[in-house]
mmCIF file of all heavy atoms in Angstrom:
data_model
loop_
_atom_site.group_PDB
_atom_site.id
_atom_site.type_symbol
_atom_site.label_atom_id
_atom_site.label_comp_id
_atom_site.label_asym_id
_atom_site.label_seq_id
_atom_site.Cartn_x
_atom_site.Cartn_y
_atom_site.Cartn_z
ATOM 1 N N ASN A 64 135.665 78.283 103.686
ATOM 2 C CA ASN A 64 136.779 77.485 103.786
ATOM 3 C C ASN A 64 136.954 76.558 102.608
ATOM 4 O O ASN A 64 138.105 76.293 102.072
ATOM 5 C CB ASN A 64 136.774 76.666 105.151
ATOM 6 C CG ASN A 64 138.166 76.014 105.382
ATOM 7 O OD1 ASN A 64 139.215 76.726 105.367
ATOM 8 N ND2 ASN A 64 138.215 74.685 105.482
ATOM 9 N N GLU A 65 135.789 75.936 102.164
ATOM 10 C CA GLU A 65 135.865 74.909 101.087
ATOM 11 C C GLU A 65 136.265 75.775 99.717
ATOM 12 O O GLU A 65 137.088 75.339 98.927
ATOM 13 C CB GLU A 65 134.487 74.410 100.843
ATOM 14 C CG GLU A 65 134.389 73.436 99.709
ATOM 15 C CD GLU A 65 135.327 72.235 99.687
ATOM 16 O OE1 GLU A 65 135.672 71.793 100.822
ATOM 17 O OE2 GLU A 65 135.601 71.635 98.628
ATOM 18 N N LEU A 66 135.657 76.917 99.624
ATOM 19 C CA LEU A 66 136.063 77.699 98.305
ATOM 20 C C LEU A 66 137.443 78.294 98.442
ATOM 21 O O LEU A 66 138.137 78.325 97.409
ATOM 22 C CB LEU A 66 134.997 78.891 98.243
ATOM 23 C CG LEU A 66 133.556 78.436 97.964
ATOM 24 C CD1 LEU A 66 132.557 79.571 98.164
ATOM 25 C CD2 LEU A 66 133.448 77.782 96.573
ATOM 26 N N LYS A 67 137.967 78.474 99.578
ATOM 27 C CA LYS A 67 139.287 78.973 99.898
ATOM 28 C C LYS A 67 140.204 77.833 99.307
ATOM 29 O O LYS A 67 141.237 78.059 98.630
ATOM 30 C CB LYS A 67 139.498 79.300 101.224
ATOM 31 C CG LYS A 67 140.949 79.642 101.606
ATOM 32 C CD LYS A 67 141.306 79.733 103.048
ATOM 33 C CE LYS A 67 142.724 79.905 103.368
ATOM 34 N NZ LYS A 67 142.967 79.913 104.802
ATOM 35 N N SER A 68 139.912 76.578 99.815
ATOM 36 C CA SER A 68 140.792 75.483 99.364
ATOM 37 C C SER A 68 140.811 75.284 97.863
ATOM 38 O O SER A 68 141.909 75.045 97.222
ATOM 39 C CB SER A 68 140.380 74.269 100.140
ATOM 40 O OG SER A 68 139.079 73.760 99.584
ATOM 41 N N ARG A 69 139.614 75.534 97.161
ATOM 42 C CA ARG A 69 139.555 75.306 95.755
ATOM 43 C C ARG A 69 140.425 76.315 95.086
ATOM 44 O O ARG A 69 141.151 75.985 94.112
ATOM 45 C CB ARG A 69 138.163 75.504 95.263
ATOM 46 C CG ARG A 69 137.178 74.457 95.943
ATOM 47 C CD ARG A 69 137.424 72.996 95.470
ATOM 48 N NE ARG A 69 136.472 72.051 96.052
ATOM 49 C CZ ARG A 69 135.861 71.110 95.427
ATOM 50 N NH1 ARG A 69 136.225 70.898 94.108
ATOM 51 N NH2 ARG A 69 135.069 70.198 96.034
ATOM 52 N N LEU A 70 140.346 77.600 95.479
ATOM 53 C CA LEU A 70 141.099 78.673 94.937
ATOM 54 C C LEU A 70 142.617 78.646 95.251
ATOM 55 O O LEU A 70 143.437 78.954 94.458
ATOM 56 C CB LEU A 70 140.601 80.070 95.361
ATOM 57 C CG LEU A 70 139.185 80.302 94.746
ATOM 58 C CD1 LEU A 70 138.412 81.446 95.419
ATOM 59 C CD2 LEU A 70 139.195 80.641 93.199
ATOM 60 N N CYS A 71 142.910 78.223 96.468
ATOM 61 C CA CYS A 71 144.301 77.954 96.819
ATOM 62 C C CYS A 71 144.939 76.980 96.025
ATOM 63 O O CYS A 71 146.191 76.960 95.619
ATOM 64 C CB CYS A 71 144.457 77.708 98.316
ATOM 65 S SG CYS A 71 144.249 79.088 99.425
ATOM 66 N N ALA A 72 144.172 75.959 95.573
ATOM 67 C CA ALA A 72 144.687 74.821 94.745
ATOM 68 C C ALA A 72 144.981 75.328 93.346
ATOM 69 O O ALA A 72 145.846 74.759 92.745
ATOM 70 C CB ALA A 72 143.679 73.757 94.629
ATOM 71 N N LEU A 73 144.413 76.490 93.061
ATOM 72 C CA LEU A 73 144.779 77.112 91.724
ATOM 73 C C LEU A 73 145.992 77.943 91.847
ATOM 74 O O LEU A 73 146.361 78.648 90.875
ATOM 75 C CB LEU A 73 143.585 77.860 91.234
ATOM 76 C CG LEU A 73 142.347 77.134 90.903
ATOM 77 C CD1 LEU A 73 141.192 78.012 90.494
ATOM 78 C CD2 LEU A 73 142.614 76.044 89.902
ATOM 79 N N GLN A 74 146.466 78.055 93.050
ATOM 80 C CA GLN A 74 147.621 78.947 93.379
ATOM 81 C C GLN A 74 147.342 80.318 93.235
ATOM 82 O O GLN A 74 148.142 81.147 92.750
ATOM 83 C CB GLN A 74 148.894 78.488 92.572
ATOM 84 C CG GLN A 74 149.389 77.047 92.763
ATOM 85 C CD GLN A 74 150.664 76.723 92.007
ATOM 86 O OE1 GLN A 74 150.768 77.072 90.790
ATOM 87 N NE2 GLN A 74 151.584 76.014 92.521
ATOM 88 N N LEU A 75 146.143 80.713 93.685
ATOM 89 C CA LEU A 75 145.676 82.095 93.621
ATOM 90 C C LEU A 75 145.822 82.613 95.127
ATOM 91 O O LEU A 75 145.392 81.853 96.083
ATOM 92 C CB LEU A 75 144.308 82.333 93.329
ATOM 93 C CG LEU A 75 144.072 81.790 91.730
ATOM 94 C CD1 LEU A 75 142.471 81.897 91.414
ATOM 95 C CD2 LEU A 75 144.773 82.860 90.841
ATOM 96 N N PRO A 76 146.267 83.798 95.307
ATOM 97 C CA PRO A 76 146.318 84.368 96.740
ATOM 98 C C PRO A 76 144.944 84.726 97.116
ATOM 99 O O PRO A 76 144.205 85.477 96.501
ATOM 100 C CB PRO A 76 147.186 85.639 96.527
ATOM 101 C CG PRO A 76 146.933 86.048 95.067
ATOM 102 C CD PRO A 76 146.879 84.678 94.260
ATOM 103 N N VAL A 77 144.547 84.119 98.292
ATOM 104 C CA VAL A 77 143.232 84.338 98.788
ATOM 105 C C VAL A 77 143.218 85.184 100.093
ATOM 106 O O VAL A 77 144.150 84.995 100.948
ATOM 107 C CB VAL A 77 142.603 82.917 99.185
ATOM 108 C CG1 VAL A 77 141.254 83.052 99.892
ATOM 109 C CG2 VAL A 77 142.408 82.052 97.882
ATOM 110 N N ARG A 78 142.292 86.033 100.248
ATOM 111 C CA ARG A 78 142.169 86.914 101.360
ATOM 112 C C ARG A 78 140.703 86.667 102.007
ATOM 113 O O ARG A 78 139.657 86.979 101.350
ATOM 114 C CB ARG A 78 142.424 88.409 101.085
ATOM 115 C CG ARG A 78 142.452 89.285 102.295
ATOM 116 C CD ARG A 78 143.090 90.695 102.029
ATOM 117 N NE ARG A 78 142.164 91.294 100.989
ATOM 118 C CZ ARG A 78 141.136 92.058 101.285
ATOM 119 N NH1 ARG A 78 140.699 92.231 102.454
ATOM 120 N NH2 ARG A 78 140.471 92.620 100.329
ATOM 121 N N LEU A 79 140.756 86.291 103.226
ATOM 122 C CA LEU A 79 139.388 86.042 103.922
ATOM 123 C C LEU A 79 138.788 87.398 104.342
ATOM 124 O O LEU A 79 139.471 88.295 104.799
ATOM 125 C CB LEU A 79 139.503 85.169 104.924
ATOM 126 C CG LEU A 79 139.952 83.655 104.709
ATOM 127 C CD1 LEU A 79 140.044 82.854 106.061
ATOM 128 C CD2 LEU A 79 138.871 83.036 103.897
ATOM 129 N N ALA A 80 137.526 87.615 104.324
ATOM 130 C CA ALA A 80 136.887 88.770 104.732
ATOM 131 C C ALA A 80 136.681 88.478 106.347
ATOM 132 O O ALA A 80 136.969 87.376 106.799
ATOM 133 C CB ALA A 80 135.515 89.042 104.152
ATOM 134 N N GLY A 81 136.021 89.416 106.993
ATOM 135 C CA GLY A 81 135.855 89.290 108.513
ATOM 136 C C GLY A 81 135.136 88.165 108.868
ATOM 137 O O GLY A 81 134.115 87.686 108.130
ATOM 138 N N ASP A 82 135.376 87.621 110.050
ATOM 139 C CA ASP A 82 134.712 86.461 110.602
ATOM 140 C C ASP A 82 134.844 85.156 109.639
ATOM 141 O O ASP A 82 134.096 84.212 109.852
ATOM 142 C CB ASP A 82 133.251 86.697 110.781
ATOM 143 C CG ASP A 82 132.969 87.982 111.744
ATOM 144 O OD1 ASP A 82 133.717 88.070 112.815
ATOM 145 O OD2 ASP A 82 132.035 88.671 111.608
ATOM 146 N N SER A 83 135.819 85.260 108.787
ATOM 147 C CA SER A 83 136.103 84.125 107.863
ATOM 148 C C SER A 83 134.780 83.768 107.129
ATOM 149 O O SER A 83 134.544 82.560 106.748
ATOM 150 C CB SER A 83 136.686 82.884 108.657
ATOM 151 O OG SER A 83 137.792 83.237 109.093
ATOM 152 N N ARG A 84 134.021 84.800 106.823
ATOM 153 C CA ARG A 84 132.857 84.652 105.928
ATOM 154 C C ARG A 84 133.063 85.411 104.673
ATOM 155 O O ARG A 84 133.067 86.722 104.613
ATOM 156 C CB ARG A 84 131.638 85.071 106.639
ATOM 157 C CG ARG A 84 131.278 84.171 107.861
ATOM 158 C CD ARG A 84 129.807 84.605 108.307
ATOM 159 N NE ARG A 84 129.772 85.922 108.703
ATOM 160 C CZ ARG A 84 129.033 86.850 108.070
ATOM 161 N NH1 ARG A 84 128.313 86.485 107.066
ATOM 162 N NH2 ARG A 84 128.927 88.115 108.489
ATOM 163 N N GLY A 85 133.227 84.743 103.506
ATOM 164 C CA GLY A 85 133.525 85.542 102.329
ATOM 165 C C GLY A 85 135.028 85.581 102.126
ATOM 166 O O GLY A 85 135.825 85.611 103.004
ATOM 167 N N LEU A 86 135.349 85.779 100.823
ATOM 168 C CA LEU A 86 136.726 85.855 100.376
ATOM 169 C C LEU A 86 136.849 86.585 99.121
ATOM 170 O O LEU A 86 135.968 86.899 98.273
ATOM 171 C CB LEU A 86 137.428 84.586 100.299
ATOM 172 C CG LEU A 86 136.884 83.434 99.395
ATOM 173 C CD1 LEU A 86 137.433 83.665 98.025
ATOM 174 C CD2 LEU A 86 137.132 82.157 99.936
#
Side-chain angles (χ1 to χ4, degrees):
N64 190 59
E65 178 64 26
L66 295 169
K67 174 188 174 183
S68 69
R69 302 286 179 141
L70 291 166
C71 285
L73 300 177
Q74 298 183 319
L75 295 174
V77 174
R78 184 168 62 85
L79 295 178
D82 301 324
S83 295
R84 294 188 304 111
L86 60 84

